[in-house]
Amino acid sequence: MQINNDIYQTYGHDWWAEDAVFDICSLRYCMNPVRYGYFKRRLQEQHLPGQSVLDVGCGGGFLAEEFARGGFDVTGIDPADRSLEAARKHASDNNLEIDYRAGKGEALPFSDGSFDIVACCDVLEHVDDLSLVISEVARTLKAGGVFCYDTVNRTWLSKVALIKISQDWGFTSWSQPNVHVWEKFIKPAELIAVMSRYGLVNQELRGISSRKNPLALLASLRALKKGRLSNQEIAAAFAVCESKDLKISYMGYAIRSSSV
Ligand SMILES: C[S@@+](CC[C@H](N)C(=O)[O-])C[C@H]1O[C@@H](n2cnc3c(N)ncnc32)[C@H](O)[C@@H]1O
């Protein structure tokens, strides 16, 4: 099954539109507050170094903007030119200085040890070569630098939730076909193994999940499909939060060891 990454070449300014497709709004309203809140807390608590941030697969800039508002010097990179245009315009409209570049995670156009922090969120399950992307993340991080990530676990539950309910079943589907391909989802142990091969030592894993029961979630998705709930309302109804449950989405951070 071929993943449909071309869809990100079609998104332009709709990244920031209130009525954007839920594929995008779910990132903005469900995922981004949870993951940025987690990264910020960990970076502060652990006194981890950091001023320069690279956001790999930055899309329209949801995460890049949070880091920029948090006072970091941010660079974002993505292969989708239209997404980058939207990201640049939104940053400039909001007086945020973010250096957006075109490129892929497999070949980052930065010299070794350029960044204190590299973030890569909701991207690893989309890339052509996971191992190459992780090796590039490790190469561009300074020793002691932090890799912040989130991605999707490859479990029967992620197949039901993100492939069947979200993409395949017309009664509830909200995502375009093949935006996610189950075989590309990554088990935490696999990610940890690839990271450790390149000197990225994982520190923690946390789940990203909903507080609602599955029937309530299905009812909300049906209401979205019928146009009875706005994107913001459905994001609120999903009540996505940080948790111990790694069965669908998970996040974490790793530190680049100095002995690579
Ligand atoms: C689900 S979106 C996530 C966007 C952003 N990180 C966020 O969470 O708001 C996936 C992004 O990954 C980008 N992408 C796909 N393949 C990539 C690759 N090989 N390297 C870097 N980015 C890639 C897409 O263009 C798209 O912007």
Side-chain angles (χ1 to χ4, degrees):
M1 191 79 73
Q2 182 69 34
I3 194 161
N4 179 7
N5 279 326
D6 291 344
I7 194 165
Y8 300 108
Q9 303 285 355
T10 66
Y11 295 153
H13 297 293
D14 27 20
W15 275 96
W16 292 95
E18 293 302 334
D19 60 351
V21 291
F22 193 61
D23 272 315
I24 286 185
C25 277
S26 61
L27 292 171
R28 180 175 178 186
Y29 293 120
C30 299
M31 302 296 287
N32 209 42
V34 177
R35 65 199 183 187
Y36 182 68
Y38 166 73
F39 298 144
K40 186 175 157 196
R41 204 177 71 238
R42 282 291 176 260
L43 291 166
Q44 281 170 350
E45 278 170 8
Q46 318 245 345
H47 305 293
L48 293 166
Q51 189 54 38
S52 55
V53 177
L54 172 66
D55 183 8
V56 178
C58 59
F62 297 148
L63 185 61
E65 287 206 1
E66 289 301 332
F67 274 112
R69 286 200 179 86
F72 293 93
D73 300 329
V74 185
T75 303
I77 187 159
D78 199 283
D81 290 329
R82 291 199 65 201
S83 297
L84 289 170
E85 261 171 48
R88 285 190 190 108
K89 175 159 189 335
H90 196 268
S92 134
D93 289 350
N94 288 274
N95 296 318
L96 293 169
E97 259 188 50
I98 301 176
D99 179 7
Y100 283 115
R101 313 263 187 105
K104 294 182 77 173
E106 286 86 347
L108 294 173
F110 307 105
S111 48
D112 299 1
S114 296
F115 299 97
D116 297 306
I117 297 167
V118 176
C120 188
C121 285
D122 278 280
V123 173
L124 295 173
E125 71 277 13
H126 290 272
V127 301
D128 298 329
D129 188 332
L130 175 67
S131 182
L132 197 48
V133 171
I134 296 293
S135 74
E136 282 291 88
V137 166
R139 183 185 65 74
T140 52
L141 263 179
K142 293 178 182 161
V146 186
F147 175 42
C148 299
Y149 61 84
D150 77 35
T151 190
V152 186
N153 199 346
R154 197 173 65 258
T155 61
W156 69 267
L157 195 59
S158 69
K159 186 176 231 171
V160 172
L162 292 182
I163 306 296
K164 298 297 172 195
I165 292 176
S166 304
Q167 288 184 175
D168 292 354
W169 293 341
F171 190 72
T172 48
S173 62
W174 49 269
S175 183
Q176 309 241 6
N178 300 334
V179 167
H180 283 130
V181 167
W182 186 74
E183 289 73 13
K184 289 184 77 70
F185 291 170
I186 308 159
K187 288 184 181 286
E190 294 167 351
L191 182 57
I192 289 172
V194 180
M195 289 194 297
S196 63
R197 217 183 295 150
Y198 298 104
L200 295 171
V201 183
N202 198 57
Q203 306 294 307
E204 189 177 43
L205 291 170
R206 297 287 290 158
I208 304 177
S209 55
S210 170
R211 284 194 199 91
K212 294 296 171 69
N213 73 53
L215 284 179
L217 291 175
L218 279 177
S220 300
L221 280 179
R222 187 65 191 153
L224 175 76
K225 186 114 195 175
K226 287 279 181 191
R228 291 198 296 263
L229 281 185
S230 69
N231 281 321
Q232 287 209 46
E233 284 167 336
I234 194 173
F238 267 37
V240 174
C241 61
E242 184 181 331
S243 74
K244 290 183 186 158
D245 182 355
L246 310 181
K247 287 194 286 296
I248 300 183
S249 287
Y250 62 95
M251 58 188 170
Y253 69 100
I255 297 193
R256 160 82 151 75
S257 75
S258 44
S259 55
V260 186

